[in-house]
Amino acid sequence: MFLSYLFHGISNIFHRRRTNRIYLSFGENCLTDNILSRYGLKSFTTPFSHCRSNIEYILDLERNNYKNFVSGEFLKYGDLNGKPVPRLKTDLILKNNYHHLHKNGIEFPSQDVIKNQKYWQKVVERAHQLKAFLGIGKYVLLYHHRVCEDNNLELLLMHLCELKKYYSTDEYECQIVLFKQIIIPEESEKKLIYQKNNDIHIFDFHTHHTWTGRDQREYWAFIDDSLISKMLRIVKTV
């Protein structure tokens, strides 16, 4: 497996340089960043690489040019399973429904960005870096949506289309990649279905186990790497 990632990594580094593409993770959790990293496609770390979020919280920041993010005014502790966790949450009222872990603002479960101001400044610098390559390269933004009940897909796509506008220029049209899971019975064959809807690239992973829990192979989707590799091959051509 290591040699396979090494091969992909070297190949994809040359791909990024040759095509002048910027591949970034934009939520909803750190799985997106992990996938880009292990395949050598990650261009740089974003404010959303190591946190929980959803597209509406991200758009809320985009609309005010990240002023609410950089100021840290809305950064406070919340409760996660009885433990304090830093969250940046404005008074935004969500229009769509999301997994319960992704309805608490921009959440930082792995780093205390309130106590560790040095690390928070790193996160702020990542926000400043987001638009640094507008007009210079083609942005390809990956968004992993955790499927839940009562989520309106058309509304989700509409929000992703709005995100696309912030990273498109006359020279380079941004591409948005949405990937999500559909859990199927163990006896059914796993598969990947790709479609384009509302100018958004959608990848549905029909798999047996949710990418979560204590099993690291499931948590980081290693068990479905063959399908992930297939998705990335397509993504590199969009």
Side-chain angles (χ1 to χ4, degrees), residues 180-195:
K180 50 193 176 72
Q181 278 188 289
I182 296 174
I183 303 302
I184 59 175
E186 289 277 358
E187 59 271 18
S188 300
E189 184 178 359
K190 295 193 295 185
K191 61 183 177 180
L192 177 69
I193 296 179
Y194 166 65
Q195 62 175 311

Side-chain angles (χ1 to χ4, degrees), residues 46-48 57-58 60-76 87-90 106 108 113-114 116-131 167:
T46 74
F48 316 110
Y57 292 133
I58 293 172
D60 187 42
L61 298 176
E62 291 285 354
R63 289 166 186 155
N64 66 58
N65 201 27
Y66 285 82
K67 290 179 181 177
N68 288 342
F69 190 89
V70 172
S71 70
E73 176 185 355
F74 297 95
L75 194 60
K76 298 176 182 178
R87 292 171 178 161
L88 193 149
K89 188 176 183 181
T90 65
I106 309 295
F108 302 87
V113 295
I114 295 177
N116 190 342
Q117 280 297 303
K118 188 175 181 180
Y119 185 82
W120 172 244
Q121 287 308 311
K122 277 188 179 181
V123 179
V124 169
E125 288 168 13
R126 292 167 187 168
H128 288 308
Q129 188 182 18
L130 280 175
K131 306 286 176 62
Y167 292 89

Side-chain angles (χ1 to χ4, degrees), residues 20 22 130-139 163-175:
N20 208 26
I22 299 106
L130 280 175
K131 306 286 176 62
F133 298 94
L134 282 179
I136 300 173
K138 180 177 181 176
Y139 280 80
L163 177 66
K164 177 173 180 168
K165 294 177 182 177
Y166 289 105
Y167 292 89
S168 293
T169 63
D170 291 338
E171 298 84 2
Y172 298 99
E173 181 185 7
C174 172
Q175 300 297 318

